[in-house]
């Protein structure tokens, strides 16, 4: 799944904290950032300042149920 355009990153990260399992941002190169980690959130915010990098990355879940918590932020 991909983030919707013009998503509020801070609201998205607040919802990520509510997820039961790990939520990962993955780049096309195969890099993975665990979004529940504070350090990783800082890195993710830096990536979010570059819309092209953000658009090309995907959001993946360890628990499929967590996708419901984040559905308002995501698109296929």
């Amino acid at each position: 799944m991909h983030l919707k355009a013009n998503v509020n990153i801070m609201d998205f990260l607040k919802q990520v904290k509510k997820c039961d399992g790990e939520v990962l941002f993955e780049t096309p190169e195969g890099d993975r950032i665990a979004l529940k980690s504070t350090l990783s959130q800082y890195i993710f915010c830096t990536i979010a300042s570059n819309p092209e990098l953000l658009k090309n990355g995907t959001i993946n879940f360890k628990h499929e149920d967590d996708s419901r918590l984040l559905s308002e932020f995501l698109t296929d």
Side-chain angles (χ1 to χ4, degrees):
M1 306 201 100
H2 296 276
L3 283 173
K4 291 181 180 177
N6 301 319
V7 70
N8 184 311
I9 297 299
M10 296 312 293
D11 290 342
F12 171 69
L13 292 174
K14 286 178 187 174
Q15 280 297 102
V16 166
K17 289 284 190 185
K18 297 178 184 178
C19 292
D20 290 329
E22 199 62 64
V23 179
L24 301 170
F25 176 78
E26 296 185 14
T27 66
E29 293 81 22
D31 298 315
R32 301 165 119 194
I33 299 171
L35 295 177
K36 290 181 113 179
S37 157
T38 303
L39 177 59
S40 294
Q41 288 180 356
Y42 177 77
I43 294 167
F44 180 72
C45 287
T46 303
I47 291 170
S49 67
N50 183 330
E52 192 63 29
L53 288 175
L54 194 61
K55 182 179 90 170
N56 289 329
T58 58
I59 303 294
N60 294 304
F61 312 94
K62 293 291 182 184
H63 294 282
E64 203 55 42
D65 292 340
D66 290 336
S67 65
R68 288 188 208 119
L69 282 173
L70 301 174
S71 63
E72 68 181 280
F73 303 99
L74 302 174
T75 185
D76 292 334

